[in-house]
Amino acid sequence: MTTIENVSHTRELAGKRALVTGGSRGIGAAVVHQLLDAGAQVLTTARSATNTIPDGSAFVTADVRTQAGAQALAAAVHEVLGGVDILVHNAGGARPHASASAIPDREWQDALDLNLLASVRLDSLLVPGMRERRSGAIVHVSSAAVPTAAPQFLHYVAAKAVLQTYSRGLALDLAVAGIRVNTVSPGRTATPGGEETWQLWARMDATAGDTVTAIGTTPLGRDGQPADIADAVLFLVSDRASWLTGTNLFVDGGEFPRG
C-alpha cells in the first residue's frame, strides 16, 4: 500500500544566497524571515536602515531607483554574498492622486524607476552570475490591482503591468539557462506602508473612500498578511516550483478580477 508522508521543507534553501529589495518591513521583511528560516543566506536593502530589519540578514542601504544605486547594490551583493541564487524584487510603491490627470510627470518617472526599472537594472547586473551557474530563481512582486487600472494609482499599476509583461519575456529568455522568473501579485495586505496609502486615498474625497472600502473587501473576508505573500515567494524560489516559470501568482483572497 502506498502511503503519503508529511514532507518538511525546513532548511530547503540551505546553501542558497538571496537578495531581497525593500526588505526592512512589511512584505519584504516577511520574505526575508521565510528565506532565513529555510536556510538561505540573505542580504536585504532599503533606502534607510530601521529597527525592523530581520535578525540574521545582512543589510545595506541603497536607492534602487537609479542606475548608480543598482550598480552599488550589485557590488555589495558580490562583496557580501559572492553572487545570488535567489533574487526577490519587493521594493515598490507610489502615492495616490485624485485622478490620473493629477499625477505629475516626476511621479510617473519615479513610479517607473522604482516599480519597473529597478528590477530591469538589477536583473541585468546579477543574472550573468546565474547564467554561469545555470541556475537561479527570480521573483518580481507586482500587484493584483493591475487589471482594475485604478485612475488614482495609474502610474503605479501601469508600471506593475509592464513589470508582469517584462517578467514573462525574461522567463522565456532565461529558461534555457536554467533560471526561473515568476511574479507574485499581492492584493490588499496589512502592512504599515499599505495602510498609510489606503488612508491617504480614503481622505481624498468621499468617492475615493467608497472605492477603498469596496477594494478592501475580499471573498475570504480579511486583508492579507505579509506572511501570506512570503509563503508564495518561498514556494516560487524553492525546488517545489522547479517546473514553474513565466507565471503570475495572485495572492489576494480573490479580491481582484483575473485577466
Side-chain angles (χ1 to χ4, degrees):
M1 181 177 66
T2 302
T3 61
I4 299 176
E5 298 179 356
N6 290 330
V7 178
S8 173
H9 300 294
T10 303
R11 313 299 291 177
E12 65 182 321
L13 299 181
K16 300 292 186 181
R17 302 159 300 173
L19 171 65
V20 180
T21 66
S24 63
R25 64 177 188 168
I27 291 171
V31 171
V32 173
H33 279 299
Q34 286 280 33
L35 298 183
L36 288 171
D37 287 347
Q41 183 181 2
V42 183
L43 173 65
T44 189
T45 183
R47 276 180 273 180
S48 60
T50 73
N51 60 6
T52 60
I53 297 165
D55 291 339
S57 63
F59 177 83
V60 295
T61 57
D63 187 350
V64 296
R65 295 175 300 177
T66 68
Q67 179 68 37
Q71 290 172 337
L73 179 54
V77 166
H78 289 295
E79 180 179 351
V80 176
L81 300 178
V84 289
D85 307 290
I86 296 167
L87 182 52
V88 180
H89 295 280
N90 173 70
R95 69 187 187 99
H97 288 269
S99 66
S101 59
I103 303 170
D105 182 79
R106 67 181 181 278
E107 291 193 32
W108 271 101
Q109 186 61 59
D110 191 63
L112 290 169
D113 283 330
L114 180 58
N115 298 288
L116 171 64
L117 295 176
S119 296
V120 174
R121 290 163 178 155
L122 274 174
D123 288 344
S124 68
L125 291 165
L126 296 175
V127 159
M130 292 181 174
R131 283 187 184 274
E132 290 179 7
R133 293 182 294 277
R134 299 195 65 78
S135 68
I138 299 172
V139 173
H140 298 129
V141 178
S142 181
S143 172
V146 165
T148 68
Q152 297 89 345
F153 276 110
L154 193 55
H155 52 333
Y156 174 74
V157 295
K160 291 298 192 182
V162 180
L163 179 66
Q164 292 178 13
T165 300
Y166 162 72
S167 299
R168 289 193 294 271
L170 188 65
L172 294 174
D173 186 46
L174 298 181
V176 68
I179 302 167
R180 298 184 297 104
V181 184
N182 292 291
T183 306
V184 168
S185 291
R188 177 166 171 163
T189 307
T191 66
E195 188 59 32
E196 291 168 9
T197 299
W198 292 113
Q199 291 301 322
L200 176 60
W201 191 359
R203 287 196 301 269
M204 284 181 177
D205 55 42
T207 302
D210 291 342
T211 304
V212 171
T213 301
I215 289 178
T217 303
T218 71
L220 289 182
R222 67 171 178 86
D223 285 351
Q225 296 298 314
D228 294 319
I229 315 306
D231 283 341
V233 172
L234 176 61
F235 168 67
L236 287 174
V237 302
S238 75
D239 287 343
R240 289 175 283 150
S242 62
W243 210 45
L244 283 179
T245 195
T247 191
N248 179 24
L249 179 59
F250 281 81
V251 188
D252 67 348
E255 176 182 358
F256 288 100
R258 306 294 192 264

